[in-house]
């Protein structure tokens, strides 16, 4: 059963996946939302420009309409016949017939003007005394009233000093006596020579006339058209109930209730510029009473001090842009799926091989030198796997050779211990034999005078000493051969240890080459990083040039943004590769450190082996000295035999020979004790060599290779 792998959030593959996923989703979201809001802004700007053109045309129509009535009032002001008639009706000296004729001409003139224009509700000439009997009006309208509000409006006409004065649309007309709304223009027909003949001319225009002029002006689906006076009150609106009321939506220059509405207008987004027709664009966005965003366009009138204003909900124009939001959500979802696929591929191509290599290196750290990678690619990861395999093979070979060398050192030390034990036993036998020789010489000196038979026995003892010397000489030869073999083995061990040290140096050289490779990778990444920076700069320049190109460069702006996004992704990928290279370099440094720590141990091993070789050489030297002593002992025994042959001729020389023999045996005993001490030291050194070999063998067992 295949073991399920646990998700490692600290792995390089998972980090690459998270970075790539977040980058793609974030870029897609930012691009989609930016496109959505840019589309809303562009649509709003285009609608504002188009609506501004419509509002300008409607304002021109209103100005033309108002200019007609101003021109009509101007004709009345300069009409000499009308002026004479008005002076006549106000002249007490004029006859009744003349006054009646003048009044008739005035009424017929007013009726003719009223009848020639269906948009007019009525035309009046109101006396300054505000007396209805002294005033004149066209047929079909109510009489003159003189309440407080009407007098205030008349005072405004006085303040106009003969210039036209426009009054907002009132639901029941200027005198609040009609069943329909009307717009009124007032003008003082001045007469400097006869002030009593001055009249207020009131031209009352039906409110439906303004509706007809503005009927073709539409802003959005639920838009509304209003005319506002300088104080921000509604001078005209589709709902007569709003006439004279403060408008919640107005321009920044207007004042409502005597105070500047600067606090609310802080939230307005003003738009200014030049329309396609060359005129100024007056538009802004603000919220209505309910907080709903409204697109507002306005145009000041040239004739009256009013402003034609239209507004509609922004949502009426941006409904089509809302589809971009759904498209953005779909694109983000698709980008997330693509990021998942790409992230999975990256995890398989980069994260999984690196994780496997890390696990293999951990096993190698624990002593298993048989681990190998199965990377078959030729990229950096594949090369890293091949280098890891070659490194583990070299370390396995080195460990194997060191283990075999340790085994040989252990075997040689065991042989040396056995030979040293044999030498020690033989030295003890030599010491015992020399003691016996000394005792025999003493007894010979005591019994030389007593019996010739004892001389014969001494000859036998001399023969035994000669045999013993022969045995000791043979043992000394064996010890010298063993010392020669040990020295040769030590030389081989020194050569093998030096070979191991050379292999450690080779490992360090390979590690240095790997460090150089990581440096080469960094040098390769440096121009790629510079190239990405240059790509970002080129994409930014392309965006700037496309922005200068206007509408023709919008598609290229998107391409430049995509290029910048790809450059940013490449920069992030290069940064990830740099971090991976740094981790590889760190692992290589750890390997070099471990090898550097092992090298001194091998050096100390070589020093110990060389010391053992010197010990073998000293053993050989001591055995050569011992062999010389044995040869001297053999010579002394031969001389003793000659003395024994001459003993029959002269017993007097026996004492002298015995003394010489005693001296010789004492020297042999002294040398035998020295040989015994040397053999004991050789046994101790052999034990130390055996312990060192065993420690080396235990150290090499930690490697599985």
């Amino acid at each position: 059963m295949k073991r399920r792998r646990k998700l490692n959030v600290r792995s390089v593959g998972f980090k690459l996946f998270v970075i790539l996923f977040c980058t793609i989703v974030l870029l897609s979201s930012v691009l989609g939302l930016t496109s959505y809001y840019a589309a809303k802004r562009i649509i709003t700007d285009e609608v504002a420009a188009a609506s501004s053109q419509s509002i300008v045309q409607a304002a021109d129509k209103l100005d033309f309409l108002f200019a007609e009535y101003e021109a009509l009032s101007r004709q009345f002001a300069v009409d000499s016949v009308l002026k004479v008639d008005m002076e006549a009706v106000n002249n007490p000296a004029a006859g009744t017939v003349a006054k009646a004729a003048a009044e008739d001409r005035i009424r017929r003139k007013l009726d003719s003007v009223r009848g020639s224009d269906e948009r007019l509700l009525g035309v009046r000439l109101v006396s300054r005394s505000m007396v209805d009997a002294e005033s004149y009006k066209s047929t079909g309208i109510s009489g003159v009233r003189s309440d407080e509000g009407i007098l205030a409006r008349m005072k405004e006409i006085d303040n106009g000093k003969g210039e036209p004065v426009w009054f907002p649309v009132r639901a029941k007309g200027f005198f609040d006596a009609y069943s329909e709304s009307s717009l009124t223009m007032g003008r003082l027909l001045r007469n400097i020579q006869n002030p009593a003949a001055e009249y207020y001319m009131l031209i009352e225009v039906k409110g439906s006339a303004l509706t007809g002029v503005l009927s073709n002006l539409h802003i959005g689906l639920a838009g509304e058209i209003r005319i506002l006076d300088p104080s921000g009150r509604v001078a005209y609106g589709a709902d007569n109930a709003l006439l004279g009321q403060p408008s919640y939506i107005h321009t920044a220059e207007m004042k409502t209730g005597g105070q500047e509405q600067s606090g609310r207008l802080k939230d307005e987004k003003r738009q200014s510029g030049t329309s396609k027709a060359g005129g100024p664009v007056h538009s802004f966005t603000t919220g209505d009473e309910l907080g709903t965003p409204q697109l507002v366009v306005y145009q000041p009138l040239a004739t009256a001090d009013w402003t034609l204003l239209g507004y509609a909900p922004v949502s009426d124009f941006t409904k089509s842009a809302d589809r971009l939001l759904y498209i953005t959500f779909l694109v983000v979802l698709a980008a997330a799926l693509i990021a998942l696929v790409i992230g999975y591929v990256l995890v398989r191509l980069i994260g999984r091989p690196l994780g496997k290599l890390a696990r293999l290196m951990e096993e190698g750290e624990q002593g298993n030198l048989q681990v190998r990678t199965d990377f078959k690619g030729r990229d950096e990861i594949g090369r890293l796997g091949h280098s890891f395999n070659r490194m583990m093979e070299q370390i396995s070979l080195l460990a194997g050779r060191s283990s075999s060398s340790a085994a040989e050192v252990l075997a040689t030390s065991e042989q040396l211990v056995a030979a040293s034990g044999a030498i020690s036993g033989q030295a003890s036998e030599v010491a015992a034999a020399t003691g016996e020789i000394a005792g025999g010489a003493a007894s010979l000196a005591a019994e030389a005078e007593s019996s010739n038979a004892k001389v014969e026995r001494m000859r036998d003892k001399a023969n035994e000493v000669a045999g013993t010397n022969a045995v000791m000489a043979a043992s000394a030869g064996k010890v010298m051969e063993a010392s020669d073999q040990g020295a040769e083995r030590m030389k081989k061990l020194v050569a093998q240890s030096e070979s191991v040290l050379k292999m450690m140096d080779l490992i360090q050289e390979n590690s240095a080459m790997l460090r150089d490779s990581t440096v080469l990778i960094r040098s390769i990444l440096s121009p790629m990083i510079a190239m990405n920076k240059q790509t970002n700069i080129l994409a930014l320049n392309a965006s700037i040039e496309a922005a200068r190109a206007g509408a023709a460069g919008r598609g290229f702006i998107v391409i430049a943004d995509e290029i910048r996004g790809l450059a940013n992704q490449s920069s992030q990928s290069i940064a990830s590769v740099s971090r991976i290279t740094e981790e590889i370099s760190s692992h290589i440094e750890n390997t070099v450190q471990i090898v550097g720590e092992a090298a001194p141990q091998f050096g100390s091993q070589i020093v110990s082996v060389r010391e053992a070789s010197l010990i073998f050489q000293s053993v050989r030297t001591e055995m050569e000295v011992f062999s010389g002593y044995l040869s001297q002992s053999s010579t002394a025994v031969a001389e003793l035999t000659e003395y024994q042959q001459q003993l029959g001729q002269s017993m007097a020389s026996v004492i002298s020979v015995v003394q010489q023999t005693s001296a010789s045996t004492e020297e042999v005993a002294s040398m035998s004790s020295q040989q015994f001490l040397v053999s004991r030291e050789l046994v101790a050194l052999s034990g130390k060599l055996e312990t060192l070999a065993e420690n080396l063998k235990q150290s090499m067992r930690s490697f599985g290779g």
Side-chain angles (χ1 to χ4, degrees), residues 458-498:
M458 186 181 64
R459 188 190 324 175
D460 296 333
K461 293 293 182 179
N463 291 331
E464 290 178 1
V465 170
T468 303
N469 287 335
V471 173
M472 291 175 65
S475 299
K478 292 181 180 179
V479 170
M480 292 177 66
E481 290 178 359
S483 299
D484 293 336
Q485 292 178 0
E488 291 296 325
R489 294 289 179 86
M490 289 300 175
K491 290 180 180 180
K492 290 182 180 180
L493 182 58
V494 169
Q496 291 174 355
S497 299
E498 291 176 349

Side-chain angles (χ1 to χ4, degrees), residues 15-264:
K15 293 178 180 177
L16 285 176
F17 169 75
V18 171
I19 291 172
L20 181 64
F21 180 81
C22 294
T23 301
I24 292 178
V25 172
L26 182 61
L27 288 178
S28 302
S29 302
V30 170
L31 180 61
L33 293 176
T34 302
S35 302
Y36 169 68
Y37 288 112
K40 288 182 65 176
R41 185 174 61 254
I42 291 171
I43 291 173
T44 304
D45 293 344
E46 293 295 331
V47 171
S51 300
S52 295
Q53 294 301 313
S54 300
I55 209 79
V56 167
Q57 293 174 3
D60 291 341
K61 291 180 181 180
L62 289 176
D63 285 332
F64 180 76
L65 177 65
F66 294 166
E68 285 184 355
Y69 296 123
E70 289 181 357
L72 177 61
S73 66
R74 195 176 299 112
Q75 290 176 4
F76 274 76
V78 299
D79 190 344
S80 59
V81 176
L82 179 63
K83 184 177 182 180
V84 171
D85 289 339
M86 287 189 296
E87 289 177 351
V89 298
N90 287 279
N91 187 3
T96 304
V97 176
K99 288 184 178 181
E103 290 178 349
D104 183 61
R105 284 192 299 270
I106 292 173
R107 290 189 180 95
R108 280 191 287 110
K109 188 174 183 64
L110 295 178
D111 288 338
S112 64
V113 173
R114 164 69 180 80
S116 63
D117 191 348
E118 295 181 353
R119 297 172 297 185
L120 292 177
L121 183 63
V123 181
R124 297 175 185 267
L125 292 175
V126 180
S127 173
R128 299 195 69 171
S129 64
M130 297 299 294
V131 177
D132 184 61
E134 296 176 0
S135 302
Y136 304 94
K137 62 182 182 297
S138 59
T139 306
I141 59 177
S142 63
V144 176
R145 296 173 54 190
S146 58
D147 54 21
E148 184 178 357
I150 295 173
L151 292 177
R153 290 192 285 273
M154 289 300 183
K155 188 174 182 180
E156 291 183 20
I157 298 175
D158 278 332
N159 294 334
K161 300 184 182 301
E163 294 297 326
V165 178
W166 287 93
F167 295 96
V169 177
R170 299 184 65 84
K172 295 183 179 182
F174 187 82
F175 292 99
D176 296 327
Y178 302 129
S179 60
E180 61 177 321
S181 61
S182 66
L183 172 71
T184 304
M185 188 211 75
R187 186 169 193 162
L188 178 61
L189 301 181
R190 304 183 66 181
N191 192 331
I192 299 175
Q193 297 177 353
N194 189 2
E198 292 182 348
Y199 280 80
Y200 298 112
M201 183 178 183
L202 298 179
I203 300 176
E204 298 180 77
V205 183
K206 297 178 180 178
S208 58
L210 296 182
T211 303
V213 173
L214 301 176
S215 61
N216 294 327
L217 179 59
H218 299 285
I219 299 178
L221 300 177
E224 187 173 346
I225 306 298
R226 293 178 181 177
I227 298 177
L228 305 181
D229 62 13
S231 64
R233 297 179 179 274
V234 179
Y236 165 79
D239 187 2
N240 290 334
L242 298 175
L243 295 175
Q245 300 296 323
S247 176
Y248 188 83
I249 298 177
H250 55 79
T251 63
E253 295 79 6
M254 296 178 179
K255 295 182 180 180
T256 302
Q259 294 181 354
E260 183 87 19
Q261 298 297 310
S262 59
R264 182 182 65 84

